[in-house]
Amino acid sequence: MAFYLASARNGQDAGHIQRFDPRFWTVNFPRPMMASVVTTAPDALRVECEFHFAGELAGLIWASEDKADHPLLAYETRRDYAHCVLRFRWRGGGVIALDQPNGPTLTIEGRDATGSPRAWYVRLWNYAQGSPEDAVVTLPFSELESGYGLPGEPIHPADIDRMFISLAPPGYVEGASDPLPARADGWAEMSGIECWGANAMLPIGEVIVPPHGVGIATAYDDAFDQTPGRLVRQIEQLGFRGSGASEVIHYVGMSHFFRLEPGEGRLLAAADGTLCQPARAWHAAYFAALAAAGLTPIVSLSYELFAEHCPAAWQQLAHDGAPARTGWDPPSALLSPANTTAMAWLQAVAAEFIALAEAAGRPAKFQIGEPWWWVQPQTGAICCYDDAAKAALGNPVAIPDMRLTLTAAQKAVLDQAGALLAASTAALAQAVREAATGPAEVLLLAFTPTLLDPAMPELKRAALPPGWAWPAFDRLQLEDYDWLTAGADGARRAAYAEVSQRLGYPAGAQDYLAGFVLRAGDAETSWPRIDAALDEAAARGIPRRFVWALPQVARDG
């Protein structure tokens, strides 16, 4: 389809929003605490927090420059807040109250009248009327003063980059690394948000691309700091809807959705699959917003889990005991398909998300995202030697390097490992169908550049097993972005043929995922290839095509 990379708005449709529109606030916080922000009304938002350490606090952020939205949808940068007034009702619970030391404080970051970088700290209680946990706060920026008490130091309101309201748990100690006696759950609401005076309205891009029939993918690890309403606005207005694009693939991620509990001398994902409250609130709001837009989430869950929070016994290991680790920093671990506790955790998590989707009135659609036995990229060692896998495989012979010629015994290990992987995905699919109150669509996503790597010709025995053959899943989804963006068209097309021969899914039961562009510097070369691949997939008879993913689309315009 026709496209171009839009680095800035240049005469396209625009409108206005009220400054401090709740859709455009974000949150930030240190690991391992978790927080999220959702809009609860056109003039209201709610923040949910889970704190674990005494030094943790969350920031509810308003930025003068919109760096999250697509350039044609972003609001205009205006750093001058002079003669502007913000008013809202503040309510909170489980966080330090307005009148206490370390209570909600507005940190303003910008420059003073000389142009030197400065930060000011405005105690909200000084500008509040009401009780410490339920008050109306009025902030006249030209009259604000920094400091615990009044009078304080006047702020300079004409050159502000961003501001944030801090939320801290009871027992907060700045810089402390001590654990809290127990997890602290807190929340805060801003309602009746109104702004008046100079620059009270901000110009904002209002481009509406006609529906083009290509779907989009999102991921919670990328978007946990934004409001769901902000994401859905972009999805709708960038045209990711219409015939063949009524679904949005949403990867729930590997690092932010789960409840944390103490174990093994650290914090681990709760073994019963419980979601943390910030993630639960965010996904409920996201699925409801998608439903209101006529879109359905395809909930995606992978076999990855943030390594710091992954129980040791759940992890895939190489023959020498080295754990499977992705290249992300910090890395994720890979869950062993042979470990029944880890697989039960995946099944419980899947059921939780299916319930949230159905509560929003959406049908159950679930993607098993890239399940595989990990191969160490440096050594070529396959990671199917954790205790559970060794027990299931009958003390298998070692495979130290998948790139070497393998013996018959080593190939037999791979075949058995493939059968284990297929059994685990079948069990996960069945758990989804049992959790759904109506029919469920289960999809499998496979990444061909790894599974069919020419340097490891036998890997497909373990990582693309015959047990996945049609009709094990309702749909097969393929992605090949490493080859695609590198221009390796021969490898891509050979992989389509081999997957079709090996698994037998008809074209009508396949989806194609194009992208992504990891580095912004590759945008000019990678996006034309992605666009051509979408058209090529349509020519192959693939009815549903998706772009991975929204953050890169927004970043590159």
Side-chain angles (χ1 to χ4, degrees):
M1 65 183 181
F3 83 101
Y4 79 103
L5 300 179
S7 59
R9 197 151 39 88
N10 183 23
Q12 290 88 358
D13 288 348
H16 288 83
I17 60 167
Q18 180 181 263
R19 193 176 227 167
F20 304 111
D21 185 311
R23 291 173 296 175
F24 300 98
W25 291 74
T26 61
V27 290
N28 199 5
F29 48 88
R31 300 197 67 90
M33 75 160 290
M34 184 57 197
S36 70
V37 56
V38 304
T39 53
T40 55
D43 62 351
L45 59 82
R46 181 180 172 95
V47 181
E48 301 271 2
C49 303
E50 290 189 0
F51 303 94
H52 298 280
F53 289 87
E56 294 173 335
L57 59 78
L60 175 61
I61 303 167
W62 177 267
S64 297
E65 181 181 0
D66 183 351
K67 295 183 178 180
D69 286 305
H70 189 282
L72 299 184
L73 296 174
Y75 57 80
E76 187 174 294
T77 301
R78 291 191 177 177
R79 293 185 168 85
D80 188 355
Y81 292 75
H83 311 295
C84 177
V85 181
L86 168 64
R87 176 180 290 166
F88 53 88
R89 180 185 179 188
W90 177 270
R91 296 177 62 243
V95 295
I96 296 178
L98 287 167
D99 65 335
Q100 297 299 305
N102 297 315
T105 299
L106 180 69
T107 298
I108 298 175
E109 297 175 339
R111 281 155 293 278
D112 62 19
T114 70
S116 300
R118 274 295 310 271
W120 294 272
Y121 306 95
V122 178
R123 188 184 183 213
L124 293 187
W125 183 241
N126 293 340
Y127 299 90
Q129 290 186 321
S131 73
E133 293 185 338
D134 188 347
V136 173
V137 178
T138 304
L139 300 173
F141 284 91
S142 289
E143 302 171 21
L144 290 184
E145 296 181 358
S146 176
Y148 191 78
L150 295 177
E153 178 192 7
I155 74 161
H156 182 63
D159 196 1
I160 293 173
D161 289 326
R162 72 167 191 163
M163 58 191 77
F164 63 91
I165 298 172
S166 55
L167 303 172
Y172 172 77
V173 178
E174 183 178 0
S177 58
D178 301 322
L180 293 168
R183 185 189 75 246
D185 301 335
W187 60 274
E189 291 180 343
M190 292 171 62
S191 60
I193 298 171
E194 55 181 333
C195 179
W196 66 89
N199 291 318
M201 302 297 289
L202 297 178
I204 189 170
E206 285 292 0
V207 166
I208 300 179
V209 178
H212 47 62
V214 174
I216 193 68
T218 59
Y220 189 48
D221 285 348
D222 293 328
F224 64 87
D225 60 331
Q226 301 178 50
T227 67
R230 189 177 198 163
L231 298 183
V232 175
R233 173 178 178 266
Q234 292 191 78
I235 291 169
E236 284 193 281
Q237 294 189 211
L238 293 175
F240 292 104
R241 62 198 195 285
S243 177
S246 61
E247 292 89 13
V248 173
I249 296 174
H250 178 66
Y251 177 38
V252 301
M254 56 87 177
S255 62
H256 287 89
F257 66 81
F258 40 83
R259 169 77 38 88
L260 290 172
E261 296 179 345
E264 300 181 8
R266 52 198 173 110
L267 290 171
L268 302 178
D272 63 0
T274 299
L275 308 184
C276 66
Q277 179 56 27
R280 178 180 295 279
W282 191 95
H283 281 91
Y286 184 45
F287 295 164
L290 288 174
L295 298 168
T296 296
I298 298 175
V299 176
S300 172
L301 181 63
S302 75
Y303 280 43
E304 286 186 51
L305 179 56
F306 189 60
E308 174 61 26
H309 302 314
C310 184
W314 294 10
Q315 302 182 34
Q316 295 182 23
L317 304 177
H319 70 287
D320 59 359
R325 290 290 185 270
T326 62
W328 302 112
D329 184 22
S332 53
L334 278 295
L335 301 178
S336 171
N339 188 289
T340 55
T341 306
M343 295 300 99
W345 180 80
L346 282 179
Q347 294 167 24
V349 168
E352 292 263 11
F353 279 107
I354 290 299
L356 286 171
E358 290 190 328
R362 297 290 87 186
K365 293 178 180 282
F366 183 81
Q367 179 206 83
I368 304 174
E370 296 182 352
W372 57 32
W373 292 104
W374 187 254
V375 176
Q376 304 282 21
Q378 297 83 9
T379 66
I382 190 168
C383 296
C384 59
Y385 295 92
D386 58 277
D387 287 346
K390 287 193 294 185
L393 298 174
N395 195 26
V397 297
I399 306 177
D401 193 341
M402 288 292 301
R403 298 165 297 190
L404 302 179
T405 301
L406 302 184
T407 66
Q410 290 172 323
K411 292 176 183 178
V413 169
L414 296 178
D415 290 337
Q416 289 178 280
L420 270 178
L421 179 61
S424 76
T425 54
L428 180 52
Q430 183 61 28
V432 167
R433 293 189 172 102
E434 291 176 357
T437 59
E441 181 179 82
V442 181
L443 310 89
L444 180 87
L445 174 64
F447 184 64
T448 52
T450 294
L451 307 186
L452 296 175
D453 184 347
M456 298 182 288
E458 302 297 344
L459 178 60
K460 60 191 173 188
R461 293 174 178 269
L464 200 66
W468 285 353
W470 169 265
F473 304 98
D474 298 296
R475 305 191 67 82
L476 175 67
Q477 299 186 308
L478 297 180
E479 62 177 341
D480 53 16
Y481 58 80
D482 279 9
W483 285 339
L484 172 60
T485 56
D489 290 340
R492 290 174 50 240
R493 291 163 185 158
Y496 302 150
E498 183 165 0
V499 170
S500 292
Q501 187 276 328
R502 188 171 179 84
L503 299 184
Y505 284 79
Q510 292 189 39
D511 299 340
Y512 178 65
L513 275 64
F516 68 79
V517 184
L518 180 63
R519 292 174 290 272
D522 295 332
E524 294 288 345
T525 57
S526 294
W527 286 110
R529 289 170 175 166
I530 290 169
D531 181 65
L534 291 168
D535 292 341
E536 179 190 83
R540 290 191 289 114
I542 306 300
R544 303 198 314 193
R545 296 157 296 142
F546 299 85
V547 175
W548 182 273
L550 184 61
Q552 287 74 39
V553 170
R555 180 197 66 199
D556 297 335

